[in-house]
Amino acid sequence: VPVDGSHWLSMREVLGSLRDRGHDVVVVAPEVSLYIKPSNDFVMKMYHVPYTYEELEKAFKAFFHVSFEEGPFLPRFFKVFEGMKRIIHFGISSCEHLLKNQELIKYLEESKF
């Protein structure tokens, strides 16, 4: 169950190696993601989340923009903190919807995921 962003970009290389060694790889990911996309290297199991690609992308772009802004430390700190809270909310929402997806949870249990 990967995390979007740099975590996924690193993990993608590992998945290719596992497949090359004969492993069956299943990736469980939200249907809305910046970088996690289907591939021939693995089976993709996706689940619904209550936000759009545009909302996710906007939050990440705003966070990165604020992170590199110049100016007094304290106002920048609070802007970065608020941006982090927005991004974390997407992750929490994603986890909640994964755990509430009974069909996917049943599949994972039956396949000994």
Side-chain angles (χ1 to χ4, degrees):
V1 182
V3 176
D4 209 355
S6 60
H7 296 86
W8 169 249
L9 299 177
S10 299
M11 184 182 284
R12 194 172 53 190
E13 297 297 319
V14 173
L15 300 180
S17 295
L18 288 170
R19 189 217 49 212
D20 292 345
R21 294 178 184 189
H23 295 277
D24 293 327
V25 179
V26 177
V27 172
V28 177
E31 65 185 2
V32 174
S33 169
L34 295 178
Y35 300 105
I36 305 170
K37 306 294 180 212
S39 167
N40 292 332
D41 291 339
F42 50 81
V43 172
M44 187 107 168
K45 294 293 184 181
M46 301 178 92
Y47 58 93
H48 175 74
V49 289
Y51 51 85
T52 66
Y53 178 86
E54 291 76 20
E55 292 169 324
L56 183 63
E57 182 181 44
K58 181 180 176 182
F60 270 94
K61 282 184 177 180
F63 174 73
F64 289 125
H65 176 74
V66 167
S67 297
F68 296 105
E69 255 182 20
E70 291 188 22
F73 172 76
L74 203 53
R76 284 185 310 121
F77 173 81
F78 284 113
K79 285 181 182 179
V80 169
F81 180 72
E82 288 301 317
M84 235 3 216
K85 282 181 15 184
R86 281 191 294 278
I87 291 171
I88 288 169
H89 175 75
F90 285 107
I92 291 170
S93 178
S94 178
C95 289
E96 287 174 344
H97 282 77
L98 166 60
L99 295 174
K100 290 179 182 177
N101 187 321
Q102 294 303 311
E103 183 180 325
L104 182 54
I105 295 297
K106 183 178 179 184
Y107 165 82
L108 296 173
E109 288 173 346
E110 290 174 353
S111 66
K112 308 277 190 255
F113 184 81

